[in-house]
Amino acid sequence: MEFLSFGLGCSVTHHEWMRRAAVGLLLISLGACGSSDPSPSPSPSPTPPPAAGRFVYVANQSSHDLSAFAVAGDGTVRLLGGASLSGVGVPSGMTADPQGRFLFVPLAGGQGGIQAYAVDRTSGLLSDVPGSPFDIGRQVTGMVLDAGGRFLWATRQDGDGLDVLTVDAATGALAPVDGASVVTSGAPHAPVLRADGRFLYIATFGPAAVATYAVDAATGHLTSIGTGVEAPDTVSGLAMDPSGTFLYLTTATPFTSDTVFLYSSSSTTGGLTPVPGSAFAPGFDFATSNLRPAGILFHPSSRFAYVPDRPGRTGAFSHGFWAFTFQGSGLLGPSAVGPYSTASTAPFLIGDPSGFALDPAGRFAYMTDATSSSVSAFSIDLGTGALTALGPPVATGQSPIAIVVVP
């Protein structure tokens, strides 16, 4: 991301120095005349708005490649090109570092590992980071970066564990942290980091559970704190609200509706406590919506949460995405709008909403459909969270599985 300096409030430009000097001389003059009026307090520096998205990247499962798009001022996307994935690994997701300089793609199958790309900040095109792919031999199922982009935690199926890697700030190269890998009690996936960076949560298969780890901010090392929870069913994903107060667990049961479970997260211990009842507030009609939640993504304003309906059985169609209001209690709804689907398909029916991403400034949303191999752009109503399609879908590679937006 191209941020203004965090030190703006502490730095002084030449123009500002001259202005302050002039004010100081005026106050000295007023003091000589007997004035005792205090100097007015300076106005605080305004908080810079979030950077808008400039590029969109899509990881494609069947074609083993990435698609790169430029974002226009109106939110629409234009294909730039792409990049192939090394070896025969299949992408299982994708993430970008917080500054939008690098992309990391976990690979499952084949030689596995993590493919890393450098983002050309002018053109948006991708180039391999020297030494990529990294962590070869690991079947990587998921990964998460810390807010500073210094550490990457990757879950792997082979050996059931978590790898801890450092990220070279200049090149994007990954390197394992000696002695930091941990063995989990089951096959891990869906890692999620609390907003304050103090705790990491992962889901496991066999048994179905959520494990909790304390994070050493200096080294990236993980320590199991033994306060995980048994999952009510096979876990398909984990998500946290922007404050890190609540954890949402989605299950992989495809034929039922109410499959999101809500937990509160302790800021001191990282422990999880189930919140009684559904994660959805009373009033949302599941029978009408036939919602089968497959994940949760929060709007940057924290006012809305987007929940996709992703059917788990062959031949089933999706009803797209719903937008829910987010309450301080952690509940979603009861106010909801949607569902929203790609513009080219029958109303409220798409094949597979495999990916959903938001513009960092919160103005636009992007949805991939794995069945039609396309990406659709939407504008966001900042009052309700409602989506409006921006033109027809744009083709991606075959079977997109993940999407990210970088500024």
Side-chain angles (χ1 to χ4, degrees), residues 32-369:
C33 296
S35 170
S36 60
D37 291 340
S39 169
S41 299
S43 300
S45 300
T47 301
R54 296 176 57 201
F55 306 110
V56 169
Y57 300 95
V58 175
N60 305 301
Q61 218 169 32
S62 295
S63 52
H64 299 184
D65 58 14
L66 305 185
S67 302
F69 301 87
V71 178
D74 62 359
T76 56
V77 296
R78 172 180 58 86
L79 181 65
L80 292 173
S84 62
L85 295 171
S86 299
V88 294
V90 177
S92 57
M94 180 170 50
T95 191
D97 82 308
Q99 290 75 38
R101 301 166 301 170
F102 310 110
L103 287 180
F104 302 100
V105 182
L107 302 175
Q111 65 180 4
I114 301 172
Q115 189 80 22
Y117 299 93
V119 178
D120 187 304
R121 303 298 300 150
T122 301
S123 68
L125 297 178
L126 302 174
S127 59
D128 289 332
V129 167
S132 180
F134 302 94
D135 216 21
I136 292 176
R138 309 288 195 183
Q139 305 302 310
V140 185
T141 58
M143 58 191 182
V144 64
L145 284 159
D146 71 322
R150 300 177 304 149
F151 299 108
L152 183 149
W153 295 274
T155 57
R156 51 183 169 80
Q157 286 181 336
D158 51 310
D160 294 348
L162 272 164
D163 292 333
V164 186
L165 303 104
T166 58
V167 181
D168 189 297
T171 67
L174 303 177
V177 177
D178 291 339
S181 295
V182 298
V183 177
T184 59
S185 60
H189 65 116
V192 62
L193 189 67
R194 189 182 157 94
D196 57 15
R198 298 183 59 199
F199 303 103
L200 179 74
Y201 302 97
I202 63 165
T204 61
F205 297 116
V210 178
T212 304
Y213 295 88
V215 178
D216 186 316
T219 66
H221 281 70
L222 302 174
T223 302
S224 175
I225 58 176
T227 56
V229 296
E230 181 179 349
D233 203 339
T234 302
V235 181
S236 61
L238 299 177
M240 298 201 78
D241 73 297
S243 72
T245 305
F246 299 103
L247 182 138
Y248 299 80
L249 182 156
T250 58
T251 64
T253 307
F255 299 104
T256 60
S257 293
D258 189 7
T259 55
V260 177
F261 300 88
L262 176 61
Y263 301 82
S264 62
S265 167
S266 170
S267 60
T268 55
T269 68
L272 299 174
T273 303
V275 175
S278 167
F280 296 93
F284 179 67
D285 189 344
F286 280 95
T288 300
S289 68
N290 193 32
L291 177 63
R292 295 152 295 192
I296 297 177
L297 184 66
F298 288 89
H299 190 270
S301 68
S302 299
R303 296 182 60 196
F304 316 113
Y306 293 92
V307 181
D309 166 42
R310 190 179 187 193
R313 63 188 187 276
T314 303
F317 282 87
S318 168
H319 286 248
F321 279 76
W322 288 85
F324 291 86
T325 54
F326 172 62
Q327 302 183 26
S329 64
L331 295 183
L332 307 180
S335 175
V337 290
Y340 301 101
S341 59
T342 59
S344 67
T345 54
F348 313 135
L349 289 175
I350 58 179
D352 184 357
S354 56
F356 192 72
L358 297 173
D359 163 44
R363 300 177 304 160
F364 306 110
Y366 301 90
M367 178 195 306
T368 58
D369 182 0

